[in-house]
Amino acid sequence: MAEKRVLLLNPPNPRLCIRDYYHSKTSKTNYLFPPIELVVLSGILSTRHEVDVLDAIADRMPDEKCLEKIAKKGYDAIVTLMGDVSFGHDVYFLQQVRARTRAPLFAMGDCLLETPEQRLRELPFLDGILLDFTNQDIVRFLGGDRDQLHCMAYRDGEKTVESIAPWGEKEFEIPVPRHELFTSRSYRFPLVRNPRFTTMLTDYGCRFKCTFCVSGTLGHKQRPAGNVIQEMKHVYSLGIREIFFEDNTFRSNKLDNRKLCEAMIEADLGMGWVCFSRVDVVDETTLALMKRAGCHTIIFGVESAAPEILKRYRKGYTLEKVRTTFQLCRKLGIRTVGTFLFGLPEDTWETCRKTINLAVELDCDYASFNMAVPRAHTGLREIALQEGLVSADLRNMDQSGAEICMPTRHLTIEQLKRIKRNFVTRFYLRPSYFLKRLRGIGNFYELRENLSEALALFRGIL
C-alpha cells in the first residue's frame, strides 16, 4: 500500500523550456521530451509511494491552472525541476505552490548544484535539493531516514544539512520507471522515427572532464545490461518503439557498449534509438554492432575546429578522429548530429569561421548550434568570472543561444548573434543538404517533424 502521494512536477513557463539532466535551455525549435530526472524517479518512488506526473511545459499549462490542479490533489510531497534558464519564474511559481499547499517541496536543477546549502537558505520554500536522481535518497527521506542519505541537501528545523557520501558506486540499478505516466502528445523529437518515443539512461554522470560541462562533476556509474533490457521490455509493452538514450556518452567503454548491444540484439525487440557518443570511444566494430542493435542516429560533440580550444577545454580527441568517425557512420548508414559550441572566451571570428566550415565539411545529417554558458560548478565559470566576462550573480543562462549571456575576449554579444545566424543559414540552406535530407526521410512522421523543426528554426533566427 502506498505510504504517500507524491507529485513529480515540471513547472510551467511562458517559454518552451527544457529542464533536463542538470541542464536548462529554451527549445531551439519545437522539440521536447520526457525529463529524464522525473522518468527515473517515477520508478524509484513508485516502489513505496503513489506517484503522479504533471509536465506543465509539455501540456502548455498556465500558472493558475497548474496551481489549482496541485492544490486540489492534496499531495504529501512534491519533487520539482528548476533551471538557470527559467530561474526567476521558477522561484515565483514555487513560492505560490508553497503558499497553497503544505506538501514538502524538493527540487533538482543546474541552478542548485554549486552551493546547495546556500541555495536552501536563499530559497526558504524548498525543503530539500536532490543531487543525484538515481539513488534512494528521496525514498529514505520521505520514510524518515536521515542517516543513509548519499547526495542530498535538506532542511532540518532551522538548520540546513548537506549529506554527500564519498563517491564509491560504479554500478547502479533502478526500478523500472513508470513511462506510462508520461503521456503528453506534445513530446516530440526530430531525431526519432516514430511519435511513440521515450527517454532512458544506461549510465549516470560522465567520466570525461570537459571544462565547460557540468556532467563531468557528477561522477560516473553504470547500469547493468540486464537492468536496461528490463526497462526496454516494459517500454516495448507500452507500444513505444523509439528511445532517446540521454547518457552523456552511451556506454563510453567499448566492451560494455558491445555487451549491451549484444543483449539488445538477443532481446530482439526491434526498437530504434538515438544516443550521444564521442568520436574517441567508438570504432567500426562498435558502430556496426550499435546499428544492428537499433541505433540509427548518434549525436557527437564536435564543439570547435580550433585544436587549441579542444585541448584547453579537455575534449581529448583530434579533428582527424572527428573526420574519421563521421566517415565511418556515413559508411554504415548511421545518421550523425554534430554539436558545435561558440562563444568560449578564446573564440574569434577566425575560430568561428573554421568551425562553421568544419560543420559543412563533415556533412552531418543535423548540426546543433550551442552557445557557451558559464554554468555553476564548471571550470568555464571560473574562467569567465576571472576575466570579467560575466558577473557572479548571473542567473539567466540559455545554451540554445536564444539569449547570449557573455561575450568572448574578442567578440561582442552582437557579433556572436551574427555568427549564430551565419551558422544556421550557411549549414542548412545548401541545396545539397536539402536534397540529402529529403532522401533520408523514411515516413510521413519524419517528413512532418522535419518540416516543423525547420520552420521553427528559421523563425527563431529571423
Side-chain angles (χ1 to χ4, degrees):
M1 185 174 181
E3 294 184 2
K4 298 181 185 295
R5 192 173 193 188
V6 182
L7 174 66
L8 297 176
L9 173 66
N10 191 13
N13 194 276
R15 298 181 296 175
L16 189 60
C17 290
I18 295 175
R19 311 175 185 93
D20 189 71
Y21 210 164
Y22 302 116
H23 293 78
S24 62
K25 59 186 177 182
T26 53
S27 177
K28 294 177 191 172
T29 50
N30 293 318
Y31 63 83
L32 189 69
F33 35 81
I36 195 64
E37 298 100 317
L38 303 188
V39 171
V40 171
L41 283 172
S42 70
I44 292 171
L45 281 161
S46 289
T47 59
R48 293 282 299 275
H49 305 290
E50 181 182 346
V51 175
D52 283 349
V53 171
L54 178 52
D55 190 338
I57 294 290
D59 293 337
R60 307 293 199 274
M61 190 177 292
D63 289 7
E64 188 58 35
K65 183 177 179 181
C66 189
L67 287 167
E68 289 174 0
K69 193 166 186 176
I70 292 170
K72 183 178 180 181
K73 294 281 187 176
Y75 291 104
D76 299 305
I78 300 171
V79 181
T80 186
L81 300 177
M82 296 181 69
D84 276 323
V85 74
S86 53
F87 185 78
H89 192 269
D90 290 345
V91 170
Y92 164 78
F93 179 78
L94 295 174
Q95 285 173 333
Q96 303 306 307
V97 171
R98 173 47 60 116
R100 299 196 190 192
T101 178
R102 296 180 180 179
L105 192 56
F106 305 90
M108 301 170 285
D110 50 4
C111 56
L112 306 171
L113 277 179
E114 190 171 30
T115 52
E117 269 196 270
Q118 180 180 328
R119 290 287 179 265
L120 279 179
R121 290 191 288 270
E122 294 170 350
L123 305 172
F125 55 85
L126 289 182
D127 293 275
I129 294 172
L130 303 182
L131 302 170
D132 180 348
F133 57 86
T134 65
N135 66 25
Q136 294 285 324
D137 277 359
I138 185 62
V139 175
R140 295 186 182 107
F141 191 92
L142 293 177
D145 183 359
R146 306 290 190 272
D147 297 327
Q148 297 187 60
L149 302 178
H150 293 288
C151 215
M152 182 175 177
Y154 59 93
R155 204 175 299 283
D156 184 9
E158 298 298 317
K159 301 184 300 179
T160 56
V161 180
E162 187 173 327
S163 179
I164 300 182
W167 190 272
E169 298 174 289
K170 292 186 178 179
E171 274 199 346
F172 73 105
E173 295 192 27
I174 57 172
V176 173
R178 300 281 307 284
H179 291 273
E180 61 271 24
L181 298 177
F182 297 82
T183 58
S184 175
R185 293 186 178 182
S186 295
Y187 292 135
R188 58 197 306 171
F189 195 40
L191 303 182
V192 298
R193 293 177 164 174
N194 189 298
R196 296 295 306 278
F197 80 99
T198 192
T199 51
M200 279 182 57
L201 281 186
T202 79
D203 69 6
Y204 173 81
C206 185
R207 68 182 183 90
F208 300 99
K209 304 298 179 185
C210 305
T211 313
F212 53 77
C213 183
V214 71
S215 299
T217 68
L218 301 176
H220 180 253
K221 54 185 177 178
Q222 187 168 277
R223 290 175 70 185
N227 191 232
V228 176
I229 299 299
Q230 184 184 16
E231 183 178 352
M232 289 182 71
K233 288 180 177 178
H234 175 64
V235 164
Y236 184 86
S237 74
L238 298 174
I240 296 169
R241 295 296 180 263
E242 287 272 326
I243 297 171
F244 173 29
F245 286 109
E246 284 204 65
D247 311 345
N248 289 285
T249 303
F250 180 82
R251 286 314 218 217
S252 54
N253 178 284
K254 287 190 183 82
L255 181 60
D256 290 328
N257 185 324
R258 293 173 186 176
K259 286 181 179 178
L260 178 56
C261 287
E262 287 166 355
M264 290 181 183
I265 294 167
E266 184 178 352
D268 195 25
L269 298 175
M271 302 181 75
W273 47 278
V274 181
C275 70
F276 292 97
S277 189
R278 285 174 54 106
V279 297
D280 55 345
V281 303
V282 291
D283 53 23
E284 186 166 2
T285 301
T286 305
L287 288 169
L289 199 57
M290 291 171 70
K291 176 78 182 292
R292 284 183 58 205
C295 177
H296 55 72
T297 307
I298 303 178
I299 309 166
F300 290 107
V302 179
E303 318 309 2
S304 176
E308 64 275 13
I309 289 180
L310 295 179
K311 183 176 181 181
R312 173 76 188 272
Y313 290 92
R314 301 181 183 177
K315 288 308 298 179
Y317 50 72
T318 65
L319 294 176
E320 185 57 36
K321 185 62 177 173
V322 171
R323 292 183 173 99
T324 299
T325 302
F326 274 74
Q327 288 168 0
L328 281 174
C329 288
R330 197 154 45 243
K331 172 184 172 182
L332 294 167
I334 298 173
R335 296 189 306 186
T336 53
V337 183
T339 66
F340 301 88
L341 188 63
F342 296 80
L344 291 164
E346 297 81 7
D347 264 323
T348 64
W349 279 108
E350 182 61 15
T351 61
C352 293
R353 184 186 68 80
K354 287 181 177 179
T355 299
I356 294 171
N357 288 344
L358 178 63
V360 173
E361 176 198 337
L362 293 173
D363 196 27
C364 39
D365 295 277
Y366 300 83
S368 175
F369 176 99
N370 298 296
M371 296 304 304
V373 292
R375 295 200 184 281
H377 221 43
T378 65
L380 175 58
R381 183 172 181 82
E382 295 177 13
I383 295 169
L385 289 172
Q386 289 169 4
E387 300 191 11
L389 299 175
V390 297
S391 63
D393 60 354
L394 174 68
R395 286 286 190 189
N396 190 3
M397 292 183 278
D398 186 355
Q399 188 174 325
S400 75
E403 297 175 15
I404 299 174
C405 66
M406 75 171 182
T408 77
R409 296 170 190 157
H410 313 283
L411 299 168
T412 66
I413 287 176
E414 285 303 314
Q415 288 172 323
L416 287 170
K417 288 179 180 178
R418 286 161 55 192
I419 289 169
K420 172 187 174 181
R421 288 193 294 270
N422 185 30
F423 177 89
V424 174
T425 55
R426 170 89 188 281
F427 185 86
Y428 282 107
L429 292 185
R430 294 172 292 144
S432 61
Y433 177 78
F434 182 74
L435 292 172
K436 176 183 177 180
R437 283 288 289 274
L438 280 179
R439 287 195 299 266
I441 290 173
N443 55 45
F444 176 75
Y445 169 76
E446 287 189 88
L447 175 63
R448 185 189 69 189
E449 290 302 298
N450 276 266
L451 287 174
S452 173
E453 293 293 313
L455 289 171
L457 177 65
F458 285 102
R459 186 165 57 243
I461 288 295
L462 295 174

